[in-house]
Amino acid sequence: MMASKRRLILILCSLLASIFLLNFKLPSSSAATISPDDIKWPAYKYQPSEGNVPNPQNGSSIWGFVTPQTEEVVTYKAKGQISITAQLAKGTSTGEWTFVVLNHNPEKGGWVRSIYSKKESASKDVNPMTVTFNMQSNDVGWYYFQVLAISPGRNPDYYYSKMIAAKIEPNGQPATKISVARDVLFNGMPTAISAQLEPKNTNATAINWAGSLLSFANSGIVNTTIATGKLAGTTKERVQGAQMTTLSVEADNSKIGTNNVSTKKNIKVGGLDNLEVNTSSQSPVQWQPYGIDPKYDAPNSTFQWYYYNDLTKDTVAKPLIDKDGIQGSKQKVLTFNTGAAAQRYNQKYFQLVVNYTDPVTKKSTSFFSNKAQLIASDKGTLELVSVPQLFSFEKMDSTGGNPSVQEISTSGAVLEVKIPPNDDDKPTIRVRDTRAVTDPSWELDVSLVPFEYLDGDPDLPKSLGTGDGGKTELDVGFFATDTKVMDDGVPVLALASNDRGNDIAKKVYWSELHIPQTPNIQTGAYQAVLTWNLVAAPTAQAPTK
């Protein structure tokens, strides 16, 4: 692909509490309702309307603690977990105690006895005992909890803990899709990979990162992992070619109450793609590595390119040196100044070594790319040799010359380029094609940006027509065809060919510029850039980076 730019000149005259608990679950709405006859209620019962006021009559002196604390109003998600931990005070009488969790929802009324209960023994000779109750619920709203402790013996005493208040919110928004954008990793280099979850307001998180050739570490960032792709071999001589692997990851909807969603992504582990070089090319050819994480880029790293004559076991790496048309042997990007410079390394294998020094610890680590082959051959070239030079326009009528300010401000104008009558002197588009390809097709696109006012006050109109372009039209006429291009920067097809030939010339026979009415136009010079872009067909695929 080759682009050429030419200028056109026109002259004019005249809210949550902190979560400090573990394993919070709520009671199921299917639990049986407790009536006053089922348990021995104390003389004073806690009611939601009376708040979280401890009452000594409830035997609070037996409790070491109950968490959550009554002063806290804690918010939880439905289908989450809560641990209500009841601990007897040290020195409580020995024997087998029974613990029961009670909960109350004011909107539903009545007290519900948890299906969970536990019998434990307490002794003066052991540390205080802790009992944790786990409960489940899909319900939302306010809940109040108490722990009932029943003392040992035939005539037990009933002790009620302080009340716990909790607000249960909806489960949250599940993830419906998860994806991973990154598709390359530099061999052995720890790299942050992020998962994108949809919708954006989902409460799900990415879990279960997995993949062969890959290892994973915690990044400390939600939905992001530190992935390391590792090829066989630990030294630059042993590492061979790049390999493809499959990464998988899930969006965890389990706490929201729906199934997880997952995705798989093909990941290339290596660092270098094979490079094909056209020895006929006179333009620089660059070899770009892929997958280098910014953390391991300059200035924290230095680079060294190596090459191998072959991939046999005993072949030793040779360091590249900047000479004979090679630049960047100690940089991330290697450059061959011409195709001929690359010819000397035809069919050899190259490798990039990244030497990283941690700026804090000063510890050094080296990362070795895979080995990739350079293939150099003469494929010919497709190049845009010349395009018409400066276009200068004047009025089409017999008077010629520049249009007046009044003319364009009231009605617009049509201008033309004076084309020489002799074919040898006509503006020419010349394409040289020496490619040895099955399909010799090419396309030439042209685009025009708005004319800019070059003189005077910068606050005056900067383009012909109104707005920022898209109103002025340039017509370029060839022998049997013409091309119309607007001043909006959008490329249009000017020429196309599938003829095989070394030198193809297309002459411009006429050209017109259609200027719309432009109020407040000023005397002076207006200039625009015309860009010609030659593209081989079919369009080449851009390399992965």
Side-chain angles (χ1 to χ4, degrees), residues 420-454:
N422 188 339
D423 276 3
D424 292 341
D425 299 327
K426 284 180 168 55
T428 303
I429 296 174
R430 193 175 301 277
V431 176
R432 179 174 296 127
D433 187 1
T434 60
R435 298 171 299 164
V437 293
T438 303
D439 183 1
S441 301
W442 53 262
E443 294 180 353
L444 181 64
D445 297 333
V446 61
S447 61
L448 176 66
V449 297
F451 282 82
E452 292 189 355
Y453 183 53
L454 301 182

PDB file of all heavy atoms in Angstrom, residues 420-454:
ATOM      1  N   PRO A 420      -3.580  20.846 -20.240  1.00  0.00           N
ATOM      2  CA  PRO A 420      -2.908  21.039 -21.536  1.00  0.00           C
ATOM      3  C   PRO A 420      -3.514  20.133 -22.605  1.00  0.00           C
ATOM      4  O   PRO A 420      -3.878  18.975 -22.333  1.00  0.00           O
ATOM      5  CB  PRO A 420      -1.457  20.640 -21.239  1.00  0.00           C
ATOM      6  CG  PRO A 420      -1.310  20.819 -19.759  1.00  0.00           C
ATOM      7  CD  PRO A 420      -2.645  20.454 -19.181  1.00  0.00           C
ATOM      8  N   PRO A 421      -3.618  20.615 -23.831  1.00  0.00           N
ATOM      9  CA  PRO A 421      -4.201  19.797 -24.913  1.00  0.00           C
ATOM     10  C   PRO A 421      -3.309  18.631 -25.335  1.00  0.00           C
ATOM     11  O   PRO A 421      -3.795  17.603 -25.789  1.00  0.00           O
ATOM     12  CB  PRO A 421      -4.372  20.812 -26.052  1.00  0.00           C
ATOM     13  CG  PRO A 421      -3.355  21.887 -25.757  1.00  0.00           C
ATOM     14  CD  PRO A 421      -3.258  21.967 -24.269  1.00  0.00           C
ATOM     15  N   ASN A 422      -2.002  18.772 -25.173  1.00  0.00           N
ATOM     16  CA  ASN A 422      -1.070  17.726 -25.585  1.00  0.00           C
ATOM     17  C   ASN A 422      -1.081  16.602 -24.545  1.00  0.00           C
ATOM     18  O   ASN A 422      -0.891  16.839 -23.357  1.00  0.00           O
ATOM     19  CB  ASN A 422       0.341  18.318 -25.716  1.00  0.00           C
ATOM     20  CG  ASN A 422       1.316  17.324 -26.331  1.00  0.00           C
ATOM     21  OD1 ASN A 422       1.081  16.119 -26.311  1.00  0.00           O
ATOM     22  ND2 ASN A 422       2.411  17.849 -26.862  1.00  0.00           N
ATOM     23  N   ASP A 423      -1.313  15.341 -24.965  1.00  0.00           N
ATOM     24  CA  ASP A 423      -1.385  14.209 -24.046  1.00  0.00           C
ATOM     25  C   ASP A 423      -0.122  14.060 -23.209  1.00  0.00           C
ATOM     26  O   ASP A 423      -0.177  13.669 -22.035  1.00  0.00           O
ATOM     27  CB  ASP A 423      -1.633  12.912 -24.819  1.00  0.00           C
ATOM     28  CG  ASP A 423      -3.109  12.713 -25.112  1.00  0.00           C
ATOM     29  OD1 ASP A 423      -3.899  13.608 -24.761  1.00  0.00           O
ATOM     30  OD2 ASP A 423      -3.457  11.658 -25.681  1.00  0.00           O
ATOM     31  N   ASP A 424       1.022  14.344 -23.765  1.00  0.00           N
ATOM     32  CA  ASP A 424       2.271  14.185 -23.025  1.00  0.00           C
ATOM     33  C   ASP A 424       2.354  15.132 -21.838  1.00  0.00           C
ATOM     34  O   ASP A 424       3.098  14.884 -20.885  1.00  0.00           O
ATOM     35  CB  ASP A 424       3.463  14.410 -23.952  1.00  0.00           C
ATOM     36  CG  ASP A 424       3.601  13.308 -24.990  1.00  0.00           C
ATOM     37  OD1 ASP A 424       3.024  12.216 -24.760  1.00  0.00           O
ATOM     38  OD2 ASP A 424       4.269  13.537 -26.016  1.00  0.00           O
ATOM     39  N   ASP A 425       1.611  16.221 -21.902  1.00  0.00           N
ATOM     40  CA  ASP A 425       1.666  17.221 -20.835  1.00  0.00           C
ATOM     41  C   ASP A 425       0.528  17.095 -19.840  1.00  0.00           C
ATOM     42  O   ASP A 425       0.490  17.846 -18.860  1.00  0.00           O
ATOM     43  CB  ASP A 425       1.651  18.632 -21.440  1.00  0.00           C
ATOM     44  CG  ASP A 425       2.847  18.885 -22.333  1.00  0.00           C
ATOM     45  OD1 ASP A 425       3.922  18.326 -22.023  1.00  0.00           O
ATOM     46  OD2 ASP A 425       2.712  19.627 -23.323  1.00  0.00           O
ATOM     47  N   LYS A 426      -0.412  16.193 -20.078  1.00  0.00           N
ATOM     48  CA  LYS A 426      -1.560  16.058 -19.183  1.00  0.00           C
ATOM     49  C   LYS A 426      -1.106  15.458 -17.840  1.00  0.00           C
ATOM     50  O   LYS A 426      -0.175  14.641 -17.799  1.00  0.00           O
ATOM     51  CB  LYS A 426      -2.637  15.161 -19.804  1.00  0.00           C
ATOM     52  CG  LYS A 426      -3.449  15.841 -20.898  1.00  0.00           C
ATOM     53  CD  LYS A 426      -4.501  14.878 -21.453  1.00  0.00           C
ATOM     54  CE  LYS A 426      -5.495  15.600 -22.315  1.00  0.00           C
ATOM     55  NZ  LYS A 426      -4.908  16.376 -23.412  1.00  0.00           N
ATOM     56  N   PRO A 427      -1.786  15.871 -16.722  1.00  0.00           N
ATOM     57  CA  PRO A 427      -1.493  15.243 -15.427  1.00  0.00           C
ATOM     58  C   PRO A 427      -1.686  13.732 -15.518  1.00  0.00           C
ATOM     59  O   PRO A 427      -2.663  13.264 -16.114  1.00  0.00           O
ATOM     60  CB  PRO A 427      -2.503  15.890 -14.474  1.00  0.00           C
ATOM     61  CG  PRO A 427      -2.935  17.141 -15.153  1.00  0.00           C
ATOM     62  CD  PRO A 427      -2.872  16.870 -16.633  1.00  0.00           C
ATOM     63  N   THR A 428      -0.757  12.979 -14.903  1.00  0.00           N
ATOM     64  CA  THR A 428      -0.755  11.522 -15.079  1.00  0.00           C
ATOM     65  C   THR A 428      -0.646  10.809 -13.738  1.00  0.00           C
ATOM     66  O   THR A 428       0.141  11.208 -12.876  1.00  0.00           O
ATOM     67  CB  THR A 428       0.418  11.079 -15.975  1.00  0.00           C
ATOM     68  OG1 THR A 428       0.334  11.754 -17.231  1.00  0.00           O
ATOM     69  CG2 THR A 428       0.391   9.566 -16.204  1.00  0.00           C
ATOM     70  N   ILE A 429      -1.450   9.767 -13.614  1.00  0.00           N
ATOM     71  CA  ILE A 429      -1.318   8.840 -12.484  1.00  0.00           C
ATOM     72  C   ILE A 429      -0.571   7.616 -13.004  1.00  0.00           C
ATOM     73  O   ILE A 429      -1.001   6.976 -13.970  1.00  0.00           O
ATOM     74  CB  ILE A 429      -2.691   8.431 -11.921  1.00  0.00           C
ATOM     75  CG1 ILE A 429      -3.402   9.656 -11.347  1.00  0.00           C
ATOM     76  CG2 ILE A 429      -2.536   7.353 -10.852  1.00  0.00           C
ATOM     77  CD1 ILE A 429      -4.815   9.373 -10.908  1.00  0.00           C
ATOM     78  N   ARG A 430       0.563   7.301 -12.381  1.00  0.00           N
ATOM     79  CA  ARG A 430       1.395   6.214 -12.885  1.00  0.00           C
ATOM     80  C   ARG A 430       1.583   5.156 -11.791  1.00  0.00           C
ATOM     81  O   ARG A 430       1.978   5.480 -10.671  1.00  0.00           O
ATOM     82  CB  ARG A 430       2.748   6.746 -13.331  1.00  0.00           C
ATOM     83  CG  ARG A 430       3.570   5.750 -14.154  1.00  0.00           C
ATOM     84  CD  ARG A 430       4.842   6.394 -14.657  1.00  0.00           C
ATOM     85  NE  ARG A 430       4.567   7.555 -15.487  1.00  0.00           N
ATOM     86  CZ  ARG A 430       4.266   7.505 -16.795  1.00  0.00           C
ATOM     87  NH1 ARG A 430       4.189   6.325 -17.406  1.00  0.00           N
ATOM     88  NH2 ARG A 430       4.043   8.604 -17.476  1.00  0.00           N
ATOM     89  N   VAL A 431       1.282   3.899 -12.126  1.00  0.00           N
ATOM     90  CA  VAL A 431       1.407   2.769 -11.213  1.00  0.00           C
ATOM     91  C   VAL A 431       2.395   1.772 -11.795  1.00  0.00           C
ATOM     92  O   VAL A 431       2.298   1.402 -12.976  1.00  0.00           O
ATOM     93  CB  VAL A 431       0.044   2.086 -10.980  1.00  0.00           C
ATOM     94  CG1 VAL A 431       0.206   0.856 -10.093  1.00  0.00           C
ATOM     95  CG2 VAL A 431      -0.949   3.061 -10.359  1.00  0.00           C
ATOM     96  N   ARG A 432       3.350   1.347 -10.977  1.00  0.00           N
ATOM     97  CA  ARG A 432       4.320   0.332 -11.412  1.00  0.00           C
ATOM     98  C   ARG A 432       4.016  -0.965 -10.677  1.00  0.00           C
ATOM     99  O   ARG A 432       3.932  -1.008  -9.450  1.00  0.00           O
ATOM    100  CB  ARG A 432       5.747   0.777 -11.129  1.00  0.00           C
ATOM    101  CG  ARG A 432       6.806  -0.273 -11.552  1.00  0.00           C
ATOM    102  CD  ARG A 432       8.198   0.264 -11.393  1.00  0.00           C
ATOM    103  NE  ARG A 432       8.427   1.394 -12.289  1.00  0.00           N
ATOM    104  CZ  ARG A 432       8.881   2.586 -11.898  1.00  0.00           C
ATOM    105  NH1 ARG A 432       9.137   2.798 -10.616  1.00  0.00           N
ATOM    106  NH2 ARG A 432       9.071   3.560 -12.774  1.00  0.00           N
ATOM    107  N   ASP A 433       3.856  -2.052 -11.432  1.00  0.00           N
ATOM    108  CA  ASP A 433       3.481  -3.346 -10.860  1.00  0.00           C
ATOM    109  C   ASP A 433       4.398  -4.420 -11.413  1.00  0.00           C
ATOM    110  O   ASP A 433       4.310  -4.785 -12.583  1.00  0.00           O
ATOM    111  CB  ASP A 433       2.018  -3.659 -11.192  1.00  0.00           C
ATOM    112  CG  ASP A 433       1.503  -4.901 -10.483  1.00  0.00           C
ATOM    113  OD1 ASP A 433       2.279  -5.502  -9.716  1.00  0.00           O
ATOM    114  OD2 ASP A 433       0.320  -5.256 -10.674  1.00  0.00           O
ATOM    115  N   THR A 434       5.288  -4.934 -10.579  1.00  0.00           N
ATOM    116  CA  THR A 434       6.192  -6.012 -10.991  1.00  0.00           C
ATOM    117  C   THR A 434       5.949  -7.269 -10.164  1.00  0.00           C
ATOM    118  O   THR A 434       6.836  -8.123 -10.055  1.00  0.00           O
ATOM    119  CB  THR A 434       7.663  -5.568 -10.837  1.00  0.00           C
ATOM    120  OG1 THR A 434       7.901  -5.243  -9.456  1.00  0.00           O
ATOM    121  CG2 THR A 434       7.965  -4.359 -11.703  1.00  0.00           C
ATOM    122  N   ARG A 435       4.770  -7.378  -9.586  1.00  0.00           N
ATOM    123  CA  ARG A 435       4.459  -8.519  -8.724  1.00  0.00           C
ATOM    124  C   ARG A 435       4.263  -9.791  -9.525  1.00  0.00           C
ATOM    125  O   ARG A 435       3.639  -9.774 -10.587  1.00  0.00           O
ATOM    126  CB  ARG A 435       3.185  -8.249  -7.926  1.00  0.00           C
ATOM    127  CG  ARG A 435       3.263  -7.072  -6.976  1.00  0.00           C
ATOM    128  CD  ARG A 435       1.893  -6.781  -6.416  1.00  0.00           C
ATOM    129  NE  ARG A 435       0.929  -6.424  -7.455  1.00  0.00           N
ATOM    130  CZ  ARG A 435      -0.383  -6.422  -7.297  1.00  0.00           C
ATOM    131  NH1 ARG A 435      -0.901  -6.798  -6.139  1.00  0.00           N
ATOM    132  NH2 ARG A 435      -1.175  -6.063  -8.289  1.00  0.00           N
ATOM    133  N   ALA A 436       4.769 -10.891  -8.996  1.00  0.00           N
ATOM    134  CA  ALA A 436       4.521 -12.204  -9.583  1.00  0.00           C
ATOM    135  C   ALA A 436       3.427 -12.876  -8.770  1.00  0.00           C
ATOM    136  O   ALA A 436       3.675 -13.754  -7.933  1.00  0.00           O
ATOM    137  CB  ALA A 436       5.792 -13.041  -9.582  1.00  0.00           C
ATOM    138  N   VAL A 437       2.202 -12.429  -8.997  1.00  0.00           N
ATOM    139  CA  VAL A 437       1.072 -12.925  -8.219  1.00  0.00           C
ATOM    140  C   VAL A 437       0.005 -13.448  -9.162  1.00  0.00           C
ATOM    141  O   VAL A 437      -0.054 -13.080 -10.336  1.00  0.00           O
ATOM    142  CB  VAL A 437       0.481 -11.814  -7.322  1.00  0.00           C
ATOM    143  CG1 VAL A 437       1.478 -11.415  -6.252  1.00  0.00           C
ATOM    144  CG2 VAL A 437       0.068 -10.598  -8.147  1.00  0.00           C
ATOM    145  N   THR A 438      -0.844 -14.320  -8.608  1.00  0.00           N
ATOM    146  CA  THR A 438      -1.934 -14.872  -9.415  1.00  0.00           C
ATOM    147  C   THR A 438      -2.950 -13.805  -9.764  1.00  0.00           C
ATOM    148  O   THR A 438      -3.445 -13.738 -10.898  1.00  0.00           O
ATOM    149  CB  THR A 438      -2.616 -16.016  -8.644  1.00  0.00           C
ATOM    150  OG1 THR A 438      -1.643 -17.005  -8.319  1.00  0.00           O
ATOM    151  CG2 THR A 438      -3.729 -16.638  -9.474  1.00  0.00           C
ATOM    152  N   ASP A 439      -3.264 -12.942  -8.782  1.00  0.00           N
ATOM    153  CA  ASP A 439      -4.240 -11.883  -8.993  1.00  0.00           C
ATOM    154  C   ASP A 439      -3.512 -10.542  -9.032  1.00  0.00           C
ATOM    155  O   ASP A 439      -3.055 -10.040  -8.003  1.00  0.00           O
ATOM    156  CB  ASP A 439      -5.268 -11.885  -7.864  1.00  0.00           C
ATOM    157  CG  ASP A 439      -6.352 -10.835  -8.065  1.00  0.00           C
ATOM    158  OD1 ASP A 439      -6.306 -10.121  -9.093  1.00  0.00           O
ATOM    159  OD2 ASP A 439      -7.240 -10.721  -7.184  1.00  0.00           O
ATOM    160  N   PRO A 440      -3.369  -9.911 -10.212  1.00  0.00           N
ATOM    161  CA  PRO A 440      -2.642  -8.648 -10.313  1.00  0.00           C
ATOM    162  C   PRO A 440      -3.512  -7.427 -10.023  1.00  0.00           C
ATOM    163  O   PRO A 440      -3.107  -6.297 -10.331  1.00  0.00           O
ATOM    164  CB  PRO A 440      -2.181  -8.654 -11.775  1.00  0.00           C
ATOM    165  CG  PRO A 440      -3.293  -9.357 -12.497  1.00  0.00           C
ATOM    166  CD  PRO A 440      -3.800 -10.422 -11.535  1.00  0.00           C
ATOM    167  N   SER A 441      -4.692  -7.610  -9.473  1.00  0.00           N
ATOM    168  CA  SER A 441      -5.623  -6.508  -9.283  1.00  0.00           C
ATOM    169  C   SER A 441      -5.091  -5.485  -8.293  1.00  0.00           C
ATOM    170  O   SER A 441      -4.349  -5.812  -7.369  1.00  0.00           O
ATOM    171  CB  SER A 441      -6.974  -7.034  -8.782  1.00  0.00           C
ATOM    172  OG  SER A 441      -7.524  -7.944  -9.701  1.00  0.00           O
ATOM    173  N   TRP A 442      -5.482  -4.229  -8.520  1.00  0.00           N
ATOM    174  CA  TRP A 442      -5.212  -3.168  -7.549  1.00  0.00           C
ATOM    175  C   TRP A 442      -6.316  -2.118  -7.641  1.00  0.00           C
ATOM    176  O   TRP A 442      -7.043  -2.036  -8.635  1.00  0.00           O
ATOM    177  CB  TRP A 442      -3.832  -2.543  -7.758  1.00  0.00           C
ATOM    178  CG  TRP A 442      -3.529  -2.044  -9.153  1.00  0.00           C
ATOM    179  CD1 TRP A 442      -2.821  -2.699 -10.115  1.00  0.00           C
ATOM    180  CD2 TRP A 442      -3.918  -0.776  -9.720  1.00  0.00           C
ATOM    181  NE1 TRP A 442      -2.738  -1.943 -11.256  1.00  0.00           N
ATOM    182  CE2 TRP A 442      -3.391  -0.752 -11.040  1.00  0.00           C
ATOM    183  CE3 TRP A 442      -4.627   0.315  -9.267  1.00  0.00           C
ATOM    184  CZ2 TRP A 442      -3.575   0.344 -11.902  1.00  0.00           C
ATOM    185  CZ3 TRP A 442      -4.816   1.405 -10.105  1.00  0.00           C
ATOM    186  CH2 TRP A 442      -4.290   1.416 -11.409  1.00  0.00           C
ATOM    187  N   GLU A 443      -6.421  -1.340  -6.570  1.00  0.00           N
ATOM    188  CA  GLU A 443      -7.397  -0.254  -6.514  1.00  0.00           C
ATOM    189  C   GLU A 443      -6.695   1.017  -6.062  1.00  0.00           C
ATOM    190  O   GLU A 443      -5.798   0.978  -5.211  1.00  0.00           O
ATOM    191  CB  GLU A 443      -8.530  -0.581  -5.538  1.00  0.00           C
ATOM    192  CG  GLU A 443      -9.402  -1.741  -5.970  1.00  0.00           C
ATOM    193  CD  GLU A 443     -10.515  -2.031  -4.974  1.00  0.00           C
ATOM    194  OE1 GLU A 443     -10.512  -1.394  -3.889  1.00  0.00           O
ATOM    195  OE2 GLU A 443     -11.379  -2.867  -5.282  1.00  0.00           O
ATOM    196  N   LEU A 444      -7.125   2.138  -6.616  1.00  0.00           N
ATOM    197  CA  LEU A 444      -6.596   3.443  -6.229  1.00  0.00           C
ATOM    198  C   LEU A 444      -7.755   4.274  -5.671  1.00  0.00           C
ATOM    199  O   LEU A 444      -8.699   4.591  -6.397  1.00  0.00           O
ATOM    200  CB  LEU A 444      -5.948   4.145  -7.424  1.00  0.00           C
ATOM    201  CG  LEU A 444      -5.330   5.516  -7.142  1.00  0.00           C
ATOM    202  CD1 LEU A 444      -4.155   5.379  -6.171  1.00  0.00           C
ATOM    203  CD2 LEU A 444      -4.894   6.210  -8.429  1.00  0.00           C
ATOM    204  N   ASP A 445      -7.662   4.594  -4.397  1.00  0.00           N
ATOM    205  CA  ASP A 445      -8.670   5.424  -3.737  1.00  0.00           C
ATOM    206  C   ASP A 445      -8.175   6.859  -3.634  1.00  0.00           C
ATOM    207  O   ASP A 445      -6.965   7.117  -3.610  1.00  0.00           O
ATOM    208  CB  ASP A 445      -8.972   4.906  -2.326  1.00  0.00           C
ATOM    209  CG  ASP A 445      -9.569   3.515  -2.352  1.00  0.00           C
ATOM    210  OD1 ASP A 445     -10.215   3.156  -3.351  1.00  0.00           O
ATOM    211  OD2 ASP A 445      -9.361   2.771  -1.372  1.00  0.00           O
ATOM    212  N   VAL A 446      -9.136   7.782  -3.554  1.00  0.00           N
ATOM    213  CA  VAL A 446      -8.780   9.178  -3.392  1.00  0.00           C
ATOM    214  C   VAL A 446      -9.721   9.803  -2.365  1.00  0.00           C
ATOM    215  O   VAL A 446     -10.898   9.452  -2.290  1.00  0.00           O
ATOM    216  CB  VAL A 446      -8.850   9.946  -4.734  1.00  0.00           C
ATOM    217  CG1 VAL A 446     -10.260   9.926  -5.316  1.00  0.00           C
ATOM    218  CG2 VAL A 446      -8.344  11.380  -4.569  1.00  0.00           C
ATOM    219  N   SER A 447      -9.198  10.693  -1.539  1.00  0.00           N
ATOM    220  CA  SER A 447     -10.021  11.394  -0.544  1.00  0.00           C
ATOM    221  C   SER A 447      -9.606  12.852  -0.493  1.00  0.00           C
ATOM    222  O   SER A 447      -8.465  13.209  -0.808  1.00  0.00           O
ATOM    223  CB  SER A 447      -9.882  10.746   0.831  1.00  0.00           C
ATOM    224  OG  SER A 447      -8.546  10.815   1.275  1.00  0.00           O
ATOM    225  N   LEU A 448     -10.545  13.702  -0.102  1.00  0.00           N
ATOM    226  CA  LEU A 448     -10.330  15.147  -0.047  1.00  0.00           C
ATOM    227  C   LEU A 448     -10.804  15.672   1.293  1.00  0.00           C
ATOM    228  O   LEU A 448     -11.933  15.371   1.714  1.00  0.00           O
ATOM    229  CB  LEU A 448     -11.104  15.838  -1.185  1.00  0.00           C
ATOM    230  CG  LEU A 448     -11.076  17.365  -1.221  1.00  0.00           C
ATOM    231  CD1 LEU A 448      -9.668  17.866  -1.510  1.00  0.00           C
ATOM    232  CD2 LEU A 448     -12.064  17.896  -2.274  1.00  0.00           C
ATOM    233  N   VAL A 449      -9.967  16.431   1.972  1.00  0.00           N
ATOM    234  CA  VAL A 449     -10.371  17.049   3.236  1.00  0.00           C
ATOM    235  C   VAL A 449     -10.879  18.458   2.948  1.00  0.00           C
ATOM    236  O   VAL A 449     -10.636  19.018   1.871  1.00  0.00           O
ATOM    237  CB  VAL A 449      -9.192  17.092   4.235  1.00  0.00           C
ATOM    238  CG1 VAL A 449      -8.739  15.686   4.586  1.00  0.00           C
ATOM    239  CG2 VAL A 449      -8.025  17.905   3.680  1.00  0.00           C
ATOM    240  N   PRO A 450     -11.613  19.098   3.878  1.00  0.00           N
ATOM    241  CA  PRO A 450     -12.152  20.436   3.639  1.00  0.00           C
ATOM    242  C   PRO A 450     -11.050  21.458   3.343  1.00  0.00           C
ATOM    243  O   PRO A 450      -9.945  21.388   3.871  1.00  0.00           O
ATOM    244  CB  PRO A 450     -12.880  20.763   4.943  1.00  0.00           C
ATOM    245  CG  PRO A 450     -13.221  19.439   5.534  1.00  0.00           C
ATOM    246  CD  PRO A 450     -12.096  18.543   5.166  1.00  0.00           C
ATOM    247  N   PHE A 451     -11.399  22.421   2.489  1.00  0.00           N
ATOM    248  CA  PHE A 451     -10.483  23.528   2.228  1.00  0.00           C
ATOM    249  C   PHE A 451     -10.348  24.381   3.479  1.00  0.00           C
ATOM    250  O   PHE A 451     -11.343  24.715   4.121  1.00  0.00           O
ATOM    251  CB  PHE A 451     -11.012  24.396   1.075  1.00  0.00           C
ATOM    252  CG  PHE A 451     -10.766  23.803  -0.278  1.00  0.00           C
ATOM    253  CD1 PHE A 451     -11.608  22.837  -0.807  1.00  0.00           C
ATOM    254  CD2 PHE A 451      -9.676  24.210  -1.034  1.00  0.00           C
ATOM    255  CE1 PHE A 451     -11.384  22.297  -2.058  1.00  0.00           C
ATOM    256  CE2 PHE A 451      -9.443  23.670  -2.287  1.00  0.00           C
ATOM    257  CZ  PHE A 451     -10.290  22.717  -2.799  1.00  0.00           C
ATOM    258  N   GLU A 452      -9.137  24.751   3.807  1.00  0.00           N
ATOM    259  CA  GLU A 452      -8.890  25.597   4.973  1.00  0.00           C
ATOM    260  C   GLU A 452      -8.474  26.990   4.519  1.00  0.00           C
ATOM    261  O   GLU A 452      -7.730  27.157   3.552  1.00  0.00           O
ATOM    262  CB  GLU A 452      -7.800  24.998   5.856  1.00  0.00           C
ATOM    263  CG  GLU A 452      -8.217  23.710   6.547  1.00  0.00           C
ATOM    264  CD  GLU A 452      -7.194  23.255   7.571  1.00  0.00           C
ATOM    265  OE1 GLU A 452      -6.132  23.899   7.652  1.00  0.00           O
ATOM    266  OE2 GLU A 452      -7.479  22.272   8.278  1.00  0.00           O
ATOM    267  N   TYR A 453      -8.962  27.979   5.251  1.00  0.00           N
ATOM    268  CA  TYR A 453      -8.633  29.378   4.976  1.00  0.00           C
ATOM    269  C   TYR A 453      -7.266  29.690   5.561  1.00  0.00           C
ATOM    270  O   TYR A 453      -7.048  29.523   6.756  1.00  0.00           O
ATOM    271  CB  TYR A 453      -9.721  30.266   5.587  1.00  0.00           C
ATOM    272  CG  TYR A 453      -9.541  31.745   5.326  1.00  0.00           C
ATOM    273  CD1 TYR A 453      -9.365  32.227   4.029  1.00  0.00           C
ATOM    274  CD2 TYR A 453      -9.562  32.650   6.374  1.00  0.00           C
ATOM    275  CE1 TYR A 453      -9.219  33.579   3.778  1.00  0.00           C
ATOM    276  CE2 TYR A 453      -9.411  34.006   6.145  1.00  0.00           C
ATOM    277  CZ  TYR A 453      -9.233  34.472   4.847  1.00  0.00           C
ATOM    278  OH  TYR A 453      -9.089  35.807   4.614  1.00  0.00           O
ATOM    279  N   LEU A 454      -6.340  30.097   4.734  1.00  0.00           N
ATOM    280  CA  LEU A 454      -4.962  30.261   5.160  1.00  0.00           C
ATOM    281  C   LEU A 454      -4.619  31.666   5.615  1.00  0.00           C
ATOM    282  O   LEU A 454      -3.579  31.884   6.243  1.00  0.00           O
ATOM    283  CB  LEU A 454      -4.015  29.877   4.018  1.00  0.00           C
ATOM    284  CG  LEU A 454      -4.142  28.450   3.481  1.00  0.00           C
ATOM    285  CD1 LEU A 454      -3.103  28.205   2.398  1.00  0.00           C
ATOM    286  CD2 LEU A 454      -4.005  27.445   4.599  1.00  0.00           C
TER     287      LEU A 454
END
